Amino acid sequence: MSIFPVILFIFFVALVLGLTFWLANKAKSEKGYFAAGGQIHWGVNGIAFAGDYLSAASFLGICGLIASHGYDGFLYSIGFLAGWIVALFIVAEPMKRLGKYTFADALDAKFDSRGIKLAAAISTLIVSMCYLIPQMVGAGALVRPLLGLSHSAGVLIVGGVVILIVATAGMASTTYVQFLKGGLLIIFSLVLTVALLLRGFSTEPDQGGRMDFYRFKSLPADVVGGEYIPRDETHVYESQHEVNGAIFVKLSKLRELGRDAEGNYTFQMRGITFPIAGYKEDIEAFMASPEDHEDIRGAVFAKHDGKPCIKTMAWWEMEKLEDGTVVLHERASEARSAAGRKFINAVPVRDDQQLQLGHASKIQGKSGAGVKTGPVGPFKFLAIMGDPETEVIRWVPAGNIEEEGFTIALFRPLPTAGNTLMRPGLKFKNKLDFISLMLALFFGTAALPHILIRYYTVPSEAAARKSTIVAIGAIGFFYILTMYMGLGAIVNGTFNPASSNMSAPLLARSFGMVIFSIISALAFATVLGTVSGLIIAASGAIAHDILDRFSGLKMNEKQKVNVGRLAAFAVGLIAIILGVIFQGMNVGFLVGWAFAVAASANLPAIIMLLFWKKTTAKGIVASICVGTVAAVGLILISPDMYQRYGLDPGSSILPFSNPGIMSIPLSFIVLVIVSLLTQKRSESPATST
Amino acid sequence: MSDNATQTRDRSVVYRTGLGVVMFIIYGCIYVGFVCINIFAPNLMEVKVLFGMNLAVVYGFMLIVAALVFALIYNWKCMATKDTCDETGGE
């Protein structure tokens, strides 16, 4: 592991904490703590909005989804950005006009209802939690290649640093951390995109000479007693398994070990030199022993003519051709043991090393070894990607095998024509799911608590409006870049099908450690900033909405700030636990759920309060409660959660995974019905703005 | 704030709200059009329309660029009404 990323990571964290302690004296009052004093410049606030919004979901999740599913991943970018139109035209100025520190303040401005305070606070907490999970999952995914630490360690580091940031300086530090991170993320994503365009396409991407292109092989085989034996006798049959209807055969091959310039053991496979990580002393001890071969933590070593050899174990998928002959196709695999040993494509590797696949096998009709385009322009890049004569090799999961203490994840190539990759349909097979997601993304942005509270950090309605416009410009530009980064990952051999979240950082690594370290540190800062904003929102809901305004506890300014800090600590701890539990899920996908809950719980109340004079407090409370419960409940019984429970997704009673299509209209309907039923008996109705 | 100033401010708020709703509806229609093509005629998205790029990419980018253009127009119209936001300070 290079020392540079570690230094850069420590520098970023130190910078963030230094800024936090410097701003600590701004968080002595309630307004200072929850709204940064309300005096942030609209330009700074606009970029901070971008910082808040360009979370792990945007950077890691969307790039990963584009790398794995092409254009369908980009639909998230479009939905996320379009949601800002609702924020600007409908929500921004009224939120600033009506509110003080939290979303509940604005909703409650005309009613002074304890029910609204409590319902809005609870929905804020639930939405914040839904949004926190993917951020923490993203943090865990990042630290492994960056620092070589485990997922749990990453989640713990982020949780700890964020609690410190929020508890020390509240919204002021969160705002400036977001401003810095948002600006830097956009700049370096642009740098990465320009580098990608200058590199162009290649049918055998070698990451600028940093990593040789690995050519997967096929071997003819015979069937002997039900076993598939390769005709090439240098490959030895070991075992075979049926996985999801396909036969996978494990073949071993003895390969002589060599040494690199630093004395570490290496071996050759397909003309590429592979280092053997973590076995130097073991191999020397083995060579000194009288044993002929030895299994050391899953890697088998042997002696041949007195020289050390490794017995590589690769997985091959059987194909029976029409003429009856049998061919074995080499597949990609990632094997992990409970003791933490990891093998990628039969090579023992460090835990921070990743499976990296994907390339264009045909570029506008030209195929074969060594076809290159040279630098391409931004339009040309997309034109080549979408060409029917371009073929991209995507790698998709083929199933898992449990063998000899290892869990082996297998992946097979799926050649995909450019025009298929660059049109909708690879991810969203279910139209209802697609409509539901696009609805949730469009209406969810303007209902996210950590976005809404940023309207209170600026001094006026005009400043709220202008900061939203800056945010739209910055976020929109970034989302255009996600298209390039995601597609770049899949054609540059930097897509890890076992963890799509790492597509953008791995693409950066193909350009060298400096840009990889910067991008990874920024991605980490992205998580830090977004989690800070979410924890501030949740802390405000507990301390300001529930304890101060709902319960009516008499507290002075200092006590209110201290309660806010305690609440931040508690929310941070819960976020850490959830981040560990949800390890491995795509963060962009998880955020889609958070948007659905926000859009269902909060947006109907905001819109109807502003535009329907007959809205009542009870209607708002009912809408928030029903919207929240419906969205969360539908998620819990969705096909994706069934998969998470280990059940058959097809047995779910829901035909879609995103609840927005049902829960958003339901929340509106409930608000209308309850408001109409409570017109005369309760509080005066709202007046339209 | 004087009655006159309050009335001017109220008028400005009503104007901005109305303008916001109209622009939201226009953008919403463009967004719905995009979603509908994706659902009902996904093959149409393959058609090359600009610089060799297909409709899916061009429409997607257009939605992003249009959001910014709409936002700038909205701001310009709000400023042109001499809204009273300046009075509330600190733009």
Side-chain angles (χ1 to χ4, degrees):
Chain A
M1 183 173 58
S2 169
I3 194 73
F4 183 68
V6 181
I7 292 171
L8 200 68
F9 169 78
I10 293 170
F11 171 75
F12 261 80
V13 172
L15 182 73
V16 165
L17 290 179
L19 193 66
T20 298
F21 293 130
W22 184 60
L23 292 166
N25 64 351
K26 287 184 184 288
K28 297 266 163 61
S29 68
E30 193 181 19
K31 190 173 184 182
Y33 184 78
F34 288 117
Q39 292 301 319
I40 301 287
H41 187 273
W42 55 264
V44 172
N45 205 52
I47 298 296
F49 258 135
D52 268 321
Y53 203 63
L54 300 179
S55 63
S58 293
F59 185 54
L60 303 178
I62 292 180
C63 290
L65 281 169
I66 293 172
S68 56
H69 295 95
Y71 186 78
D72 272 5
F74 186 62
L75 291 171
Y76 278 86
S77 288
I78 293 167
F80 281 142
L81 192 276
W84 279 92
I85 285 294
V86 184
L88 175 65
F89 292 149
I90 307 290
V91 171
E93 293 182 50
M95 272 290 134
K96 175 64 189 167
R97 194 159 57 240
L98 299 173
K100 192 176 175 190
Y101 303 138
T102 64
F103 149 70
D105 287 341
L107 270 192
D108 193 34
K110 292 179 178 173
F111 298 111
D112 193 22
S113 152
R114 293 179 77 226
I116 291 182
K117 292 180 183 84
L118 185 63
I122 291 172
S123 89
T124 296
L125 285 174
I126 292 173
V127 174
S128 297
M129 278 301 163
C130 289
Y131 212 100
L132 270 171
I133 295 168
Q135 309 307 319
M136 300 305 269
V137 170
L142 271 171
V143 291
R144 184 169 283 164
L146 185 65
L147 302 176
L149 298 173
S150 69
H151 176 92
S152 308
V155 171
L156 204 64
I157 291 172
V158 166
V161 174
V162 164
I163 289 171
L164 200 57
I165 291 171
V166 176
T168 307
M171 195 61 172
S173 61
T174 300
T175 297
Y176 284 101
V177 168
Q178 295 292 44
F179 171 72
L180 274 177
K181 163 234 132 169
L184 288 172
L185 183 65
I186 293 167
I187 291 168
F188 281 96
S189 295
L190 177 64
V191 169
L192 183 55
T193 302
V194 170
L196 175 73
L197 296 175
L198 290 174
R199 177 186 282 174
F201 291 85
S202 165
T203 50
E204 296 192 332
D206 63 354
Q207 305 194 2
R210 288 177 186 84
M211 186 183 280
D212 293 315
F213 179 74
Y214 184 82
R215 294 170 191 83
F216 287 86
K217 265 173 67 167
S218 294
L219 294 173
D222 295 310
V223 189
V224 182
E227 292 177 345
Y228 298 94
I229 311 295
R231 290 179 189 162
D232 176 356
E233 290 178 355
T234 62
H235 290 271
V236 178
Y237 173 91
E238 296 284 342
S239 64
Q240 67 186 53
H241 293 263
E242 188 177 333
V243 183
N244 298 329
I247 302 288
F248 281 86
V249 182
K250 185 164 87 170
L251 304 180
S252 67
K253 183 166 182 171
L254 212 56
R255 299 175 195 274
E256 200 171 291
L257 297 187
R259 297 258 198 170
D260 63 15
E262 290 158 7
N264 297 313
Y265 284 100
T266 61
F267 68 92
Q268 295 270 321
M269 189 160 63
R270 310 288 143 73
I272 302 171
T273 303
F274 289 92
I276 300 176
Y279 282 94
K280 190 174 176 185
E281 288 77 22
D282 298 301
I283 297 169
E284 279 163 3
F286 164 65
M287 290 307 291
S289 76
E291 302 294 331
D292 283 339
H293 69 276
E294 194 172 349
D295 183 339
I296 308 172
R297 303 189 303 280
V300 179
F301 296 97
K303 292 169 187 165
H304 183 68
D305 292 339
K307 290 178 182 167
C309 299
I310 186 169
K311 207 171 174 185
T312 56
M313 308 281 185
W315 288 92
W316 304 67
E317 185 173 1
M318 188 278 292
E319 184 189 12
K320 200 169 269 180
L321 302 179
E322 283 179 4
D323 62 4
T325 56
V326 171
V327 178
L328 299 177
H329 301 287
E330 189 181 13
R331 297 305 188 215
S333 63
E334 183 181 285
R336 283 178 180 279
S337 72
R341 290 303 308 164
K342 184 173 171 183
F343 288 73
I344 290 177
N345 296 342
V347 181
V349 295
R350 293 189 312 266
D351 193 45
D352 60 308
Q353 288 177 286
Q354 308 238 347
L355 184 61
Q356 294 191 54
L357 300 161
H359 69 285
S361 55
K362 217 191 278 182
I363 302 168
Q364 291 189 310
K366 293 177 189 162
S367 59
V371 175
K372 289 182 180 178
T373 62
V376 292
F379 298 140
K380 181 74 177 168
F381 180 91
L382 295 172
I384 291 174
M385 285 300 307
D387 195 303
E389 293 295 310
T390 295
E391 184 181 74
V392 174
I393 303 297
R394 300 159 59 221
W395 287 77
V396 295
N400 288 342
I401 292 173
E402 299 285 340
E403 194 187 73
E404 296 171 3
F406 279 83
T407 301
I408 302 138
L410 299 164
F411 304 92
R412 66 165 67 92
L414 186 62
T416 307
N419 57 331
T420 306
L421 187 74
M422 293 299 285
R423 53 159 271 191
L426 285 182
K427 178 171 174 62
F428 299 106
K429 311 283 185 199
N430 182 334
K431 288 177 180 174
L432 274 181
D433 224 5
F434 172 70
I435 297 171
S436 195
L437 177 77
M438 295 311 276
L439 199 64
L441 298 185
F442 193 54
F443 288 114
T445 301
L448 292 171
H450 69 298
I451 297 298
L452 292 173
I453 60 170
R454 193 154 286 293
Y455 286 121
Y456 307 123
T457 59
V458 289
S460 67
E461 290 162 43
R465 182 179 69 233
K466 288 181 180 178
S467 59
T468 311
I469 295 168
V470 171
I472 289 174
I475 294 167
F477 181 62
F478 177 82
Y479 280 147
I480 288 175
L481 299 180
T482 60
M483 178 71 118
Y484 293 95
M485 291 189 286
L487 294 173
I490 191 67
V491 294
N492 275 280
T494 55
F495 171 63
N496 179 359
S499 173
S500 62
N501 293 328
M502 285 307 294
S503 298
L506 288 177
L507 175 67
R509 188 154 74 181
S510 78
F511 290 98
M513 284 310 282
V514 173
I515 190 161
F516 167 68
S517 304
I518 292 171
I519 289 282
S520 297
L522 278 172
F524 201 79
T526 292
V527 178
L528 285 183
T530 306
V531 173
S532 304
L534 287 163
I535 290 183
I536 277 277
S539 145
I542 295 172
H544 177 72
D545 295 336
I546 296 179
L547 295 179
D548 182 13
R549 300 193 64 223
F550 174 74
S551 303
L553 286 178
K554 299 291 175 208
M555 292 185 284
N556 60 31
E557 288 276 314
K558 193 177 174 188
Q559 286 169 325
K560 286 177 185 173
V561 172
N562 285 339
V563 168
R565 287 176 171 147
L566 270 177
F569 185 76
V571 175
L573 280 184
I574 296 168
I576 290 171
I577 295 166
L578 293 175
V580 173
I581 293 173
F582 280 83
Q583 176 181 357
M585 284 191 86
N586 181 284
V587 295
F589 180 73
L590 285 169
V591 155
W593 283 348
F595 273 68
V597 178
S600 312
N602 301 343
L603 200 79
I606 296 171
I607 288 183
M608 298 306 268
L609 174 75
L610 297 176
F611 295 103
W612 193 46
K613 290 181 180 176
K614 292 185 176 177
T615 302
T616 64
K618 287 192 172 68
I620 288 178
V621 172
S623 164
I624 293 174
C625 294
V626 170
T628 308
V629 171
V632 174
L634 290 171
I635 287 171
L636 292 177
I637 58 168
S638 68
D640 282 308
M641 282 308 286
Y642 266 52
Q643 200 162 15
R644 199 75 189 160
Y645 304 144
L647 302 171
D648 172 21
S651 63
S652 165
I653 55 168
L654 280 186
F656 49 83
S657 283
N658 194 294
I661 195 168
M662 276 181 78
S663 53
I664 297 171
L666 182 66
S667 183
F668 270 109
I669 292 167
V670 166
L671 189 148
V672 171
I673 292 172
V674 175
S675 290
L676 289 175
L677 290 175
T678 54
Q679 282 297 298
K680 291 180 183 171
R681 283 180 282 124
S682 61
E683 60 291 312
S684 60
T687 50
S688 170
T689 55
Chain B
M1 202 182 284
S2 69
D3 282 353
N4 262 352
T6 307
Q7 280 176 5
T8 308
R9 180 179 163 75
D10 286 348
R11 276 202 303 274
S12 172
V13 168
V14 169
Y15 173 78
R16 292 200 307 265
T17 305
L19 179 66
V21 170
V22 169
M23 297 194 80
F24 166 74
I25 290 170
I26 297 170
Y27 189 87
C29 290
I30 302 173
Y31 185 77
V32 168
F34 175 78
V35 174
C36 285
I37 296 176
N38 277 281
I39 296 167
F40 300 113
N43 291 338
L44 197 62
M45 287 298 199
E46 282 183 31
V47 177
K48 291 182 181 179
V49 290
L50 192 68
F51 301 124
M53 295 185 293
N54 65 17
L55 181 63
V57 172
V58 174
Y59 204 151
F61 281 9
M62 190 196 73
L63 273 170
I64 292 175
V65 174
L68 181 61
V69 172
F70 274 48
L72 291 171
I73 293 171
Y74 177 66
N75 188 55
W76 171 65
K77 294 292 280 181
C78 288
M79 300 293 281
T81 60
K82 296 181 182 173
D83 65 48
T84 54
C85 293
D86 294 348
E87 291 174 23
T88 58
E91 276 194 54

